[in-house]
Amino acid sequence: MQAATTLDHRQLYRLPWTLPDNAISWLEPTSACNLACDGCYRENIPSSHKSLDVVRTELETFKRLRNSDGISIAGGDPLMHPKIVDIVKIVAELGMKPIINTNGGLLTEELLRDLKRAGVYGFTFHIDSKQGRPKWKDSNEVELNDLRLHYAEMLARVGGISCAFNSTVYDDTLKYIPELVEWAGKHIDIVHVMVFILYRAAVPQLPFDWYAGGKKVDMDPLVYSEDRERKVDLKAPDAVAEIRKRYPDFMPAAYLNGTEKADSFKWLLTGKIGTKKRTYGYVGAKFLEAMQTAHHLFKGRYLAYAKPSLTSLGRSMMLFGFIDPPMRKVAKEYLKSIFFRPSEAFRSIHYQSIMIIQPVDFLPNGAQNMCDGCPDITLWNGELVWSCRMEELKQFGCWVRTVPCSGR
Ligand code: SF4
């Protein structure tokens, strides 16, 4: 694997998201799912649909404890919930953006139109090659682009809905990231966000004993426990290095650090400006700071997802070149291109986000480097908790600690 890219976190914009004031919160109306993905972090419980009253109570608890622009409606798979349209309606009525996180398997155009009427703001489709998805079992990440396009075009037909894709990235699928970035670029008009989540699991080669409180525990009962040795320490700069094999000027502009390591990139955001034919460049830290700050100033919340009507304003965004040097470069590239090919002036120019997420890192001293300002915070017994590790609370009643074990 190519050496990781060096990124200087002080040159990037530290996203202003915190526990009480964040862009997103994570609602799980069910943990039932119709797939069994390799890297899943939630136990699949078929009969776990929450009532609308419980869902409303949880949403009101989020509102009481935390400012959120969007609610990620996840699971399990939220489309398994028979009242998913009502759930979207409640989220919208409470003034937050309903974002459905789904594998898409149950999505029909008819259901999509019902969800649009209910106020759905966006979708994040979880699609990758380790989901055991019927009809796509042997497809690799690139072959799955046909499935991704199917959903992106369905959303575009209905219109006005933000479209994102996320993929869990394993050591043997890391190599496909540049192709997915390229594919997304060719569809920059209907694919607004690409998210790459680096694989994590409790694997046997980790040199730790696991403790719940003062008691040593066995992680086997947890869905993210693994009995085979597997690579679980891919870092965001590794993914950037892979992308730069094809796009040497690929440049992230914002991040969330870790709770233990200030210079770790737990969420690493890159903003691309371009047409379906070409990329003019990548936005800088000042542009993203202006977007987050202005949204908070005028809407009282940090920006989560943006409507296609906003992401299609690529040309206007270039005006931020007066405060953002990378955006100035984008504008120069654009002006150069229309000088040589005037027809470019008539193409629509879009903004696209590429996010890399680096879940828990286990440090040699046993400390756990989580995402500082975790956007995927959910609720457990009325308390705000990390959704990626909620199985520990369900199983042991507390977070599991990692204690370096001598002799390993
Ligand atoms: S701490 Fe876990 S749930 Fe929160 S953003 Fe990071 S990976 Fe996601």
Side-chain angles (χ1 to χ4, degrees):
M1 183 171 73
Q2 169 163 344
T5 290
T6 46
L7 292 167
D8 179 352
H9 67 290
R10 293 159 305 171
Q11 303 304 320
L12 307 187
Y13 171 48
R14 201 287 183 185
L15 290 161
W17 306 344
T18 61
L19 186 61
D21 197 353
N22 209 296
I24 309 169
S25 291
W26 187 269
L27 173 79
E28 296 190 9
T30 182
S31 50
C33 192
N34 51 344
L35 288 182
C37 305
D38 185 356
C40 189
Y41 56 77
R42 185 66 65 246
E43 185 188 358
N44 185 347
I45 306 172
S47 59
S48 59
H49 303 329
K50 293 174 182 168
S51 71
L52 291 183
D53 287 348
V54 170
V55 166
R56 183 181 287 279
T57 305
E58 290 196 359
L59 289 166
E60 281 160 357
T61 305
F62 275 133
K63 282 200 74 132
R64 183 168 50 77
L65 295 174
R66 182 177 161 95
N67 218 9
S68 323
D69 186 38
I71 294 289
S72 291
I73 306 172
D77 194 285
L79 300 186
M80 297 280 287
H81 197 296
K83 300 269 184 200
I84 183 63
V85 174
D86 299 304
I87 292 169
V88 165
K89 212 178 278 172
I90 297 171
V91 173
E93 279 164 9
L94 288 168
M96 296 175 281
K97 296 171 180 173
I99 312 288
I100 292 186
N101 276 257
T102 173
N103 60 47
L106 297 173
L107 187 65
T108 61
E109 191 146 338
E110 190 196 347
L111 172 58
L112 178 57
R113 291 185 187 282
D114 290 345
L115 290 165
K116 169 115 195 241
R117 275 187 289 277
V120 78
Y121 194 95
F123 278 74
T124 297
F125 294 98
H126 176 200
I127 295 178
D128 66 52
S129 59
K130 298 190 192 264
Q131 297 181 303
R133 195 183 276 267
K135 292 194 230 134
W136 298 85
K137 272 206 170 61
D138 307 318
S139 306
N140 68 28
E141 294 300 337
V142 177
E143 289 154 350
L144 283 164
N145 282 338
D146 293 345
L147 180 62
R148 295 182 181 101
L149 190 57
H150 162 73
Y151 290 117
E153 288 176 339
M154 188 199 288
L155 261 63
R157 278 195 301 277
V158 173
I161 302 173
S162 171
C163 179
F165 291 95
N166 80 35
S167 306
T168 306
V169 177
Y170 305 81
D171 55 336
D172 62 341
T173 62
L174 180 73
K175 62 178 181 279
Y176 292 115
I177 294 187
E179 301 223 29
L180 270 60
V181 168
E182 182 172 346
W183 171 83
K186 287 181 182 153
H187 302 282
I188 195 170
D189 55 334
I190 59 174
V191 176
H192 309 111
V193 186
M194 289 296 280
V195 183
F196 299 107
I197 304 171
L198 305 175
Y199 172 66
R200 293 290 187 266
V203 288
Q205 79 267 21
L206 288 170
F208 305 110
D209 290 327
W210 308 87
Y211 280 78
K215 191 162 157 274
K216 195 172 168 184
V217 294
D218 179 350
M219 293 291 272
D220 279 2
L222 298 184
V223 67
Y224 43 79
S225 172
E226 178 60 66
D227 47 23
R228 292 175 293 147
E229 294 213 356
R230 299 182 68 178
K231 187 168 179 57
V232 291
D233 59 354
L234 282 173
K235 301 274 186 314
D238 299 323
V240 172
E242 201 64 32
I243 295 169
R244 285 182 172 170
K245 287 181 185 172
R246 187 167 302 199
Y247 303 102
D249 58 347
F250 182 86
M251 189 59 217
Y255 75 108
L256 282 179
N257 54 288
T259 48
E260 300 289 330
K261 291 182 70 68
D263 58 350
S264 57
F265 302 96
K266 304 298 285 178
W267 282 48
L268 187 60
L269 175 60
T270 301
K272 173 196 277 193
I273 301 274
T275 68
K276 294 170 65 157
K277 296 262 181 246
R278 62 172 296 178
T279 298
Y280 291 118
Y282 303 94
V283 307
K286 291 291 174 212
F287 172 75
L288 292 177
E289 182 170 359
M291 291 299 112
Q292 289 291 327
T293 311
H295 196 273
H296 201 276
L297 212 53
F298 296 107
K299 304 256 181 166
R301 297 189 292 229
Y302 290 117
L303 178 63
Y305 288 74
K307 282 262 180 204
S309 54
L310 181 62
T311 55
S312 61
L313 299 177
R315 215 172 257 107
S316 313
M317 291 176 183
M318 293 181 197
L319 298 173
F320 282 83
F322 74 98
I323 58 165
D324 189 64
M327 188 64 97
R328 243 189 329 273
K329 251 176 88 187
V330 169
K332 276 198 196 118
E333 270 307 302
Y334 169 62
L335 293 172
K336 210 165 59 186
S337 79
I338 59 173
F339 180 78
F340 291 106
R341 270 191 309 280
S343 61
E344 291 270 320
F346 304 101
R347 287 186 193 285
S348 58
I349 299 180
H350 301 265
Y351 171 90
Q352 184 178 68
S353 293
I354 295 156
M355 183 69 88
I356 301 164
I357 300 178
Q358 177 182 314
V360 60
D361 305 309
F362 300 104
L363 307 186
N365 65 2
Q368 299 159 354
N369 192 36
M370 301 298 293
C371 309
D372 185 9
C374 162
D376 296 344
I377 285 280
T378 192
L379 283 168
W380 175 252
N381 294 341
E383 298 297 332
L384 297 173
V385 299
W386 299 309
S387 56
C388 63
R389 293 187 49 196
M390 190 162 71
E391 291 300 316
E392 292 160 43
L393 301 178
K394 290 163 65 175
Q395 184 71 30
F396 305 113
C398 64
W399 301 123
V400 168
R401 292 180 301 115
T402 35
V403 178
C405 47
S406 51
R408 247 214 268 168

